[in-house]
Amino acid sequence: MNKYDVIIKKFDEVDSTNRIALESETAPHLFTVVADSQTGGRGRLGRSFFSYSGGLYMSVVLDVTELNIPLNLCTPAAALAVKDSLEHFGVGGIKIKWVNDLYKNNRKICGILTESRSDKGKIEKIVVGIGINLTEPEEGFPEDIKNKAGCAGYYGNKQTLAVDITKRIGALIKSERDDIISRYRHNMAWLGERVTVTDYSEKNKKVSGVIIGVDENCFLSLRLDDGTEKLLSSGEIV
Ligand code: BTN
């Protein structure tokens, strides 16, 4: 893992580390923008991401020519990297909620938003944005997320964590697709349990079934009540 050189650019507060990383013209592979807090943290589906000072907000630049795995596996690889890193520093009990959230004690402690930049229709740069709630916010979580947000319980140095996560991402994107998928499957929340999912590719229809795992594209595989298997490309477990 140590052979991956990383460059960290650290800020106290920015609007969005993803914005900075995406707009940087010169950022090389594994260049990482880190901030203690964000004023305009971006979440999935155009949502905002609560970015208080007890969290770690980081965006890792990936050069697509460096990837050994398909583009759509960068987010799952990052989820594994964050989990592995937090475990390395003594934070256990983390599961991956398909597709890109980390949960601990049934609460969301980390979200990941991968964005890309294209040139003449071709993706040339990927930015993997990671927001981790490390310690409890002094004034608690905002009303709209207080029933589902939690924190990792990491009290160590943020920069050390950011460097470790970046190196792990660097290593995982060089690994084999099958390894990512098999490790992802093993670390999924509610594997073998019944869940309800909002299916984004079918007009947000709700689908219930037992989680079997993920396929080679990290699509969610559910066993429906009639015994058939359904694959979901995008959605959210509710
Ligand atoms: C989500 O759960 O909806 C994804 C949240 C991703 C948040 C991170 S924080 C660092 C990076 N910068 C951003 O503006 N967003 C991502």
Side-chain angles (χ1 to χ4, degrees), residues 16-18 38 40-44 49 57-59 101 108 111-113 129-131:
S16 159
T17 56
N18 263 28
Q38 298 183 117
R42 303 177 186 171
R44 279 177 82 204
F49 189 76
Y57 311 98
M58 58 186 281
S59 298
D101 289 340
K108 176 170 171 172
I112 302 174
L113 173 69
I130 300 165

Side-chain angles (χ1 to χ4, degrees), residues 194-195 197 205-212 221-232:
R194 189 182 166 79
V195 295
V197 186
K205 202 172 134 192
K206 298 270 189 290
V207 192
S208 295
V210 173
I211 297 184
I212 302 172
S221 162
L222 287 184
R223 174 79 58 214
L224 304 185
D225 292 342
D226 64 5
T228 58
E229 184 185 338
K230 183 170 176 69
L231 280 177
L232 288 96

Side-chain angles (χ1 to χ4, degrees), residues 86-99:
L86 285 168
E87 271 173 7
H88 173 74
F89 291 111
V91 178
I94 300 172
K95 291 279 178 193
I96 303 172
K97 179 190 173 205
W98 182 80
V99 57

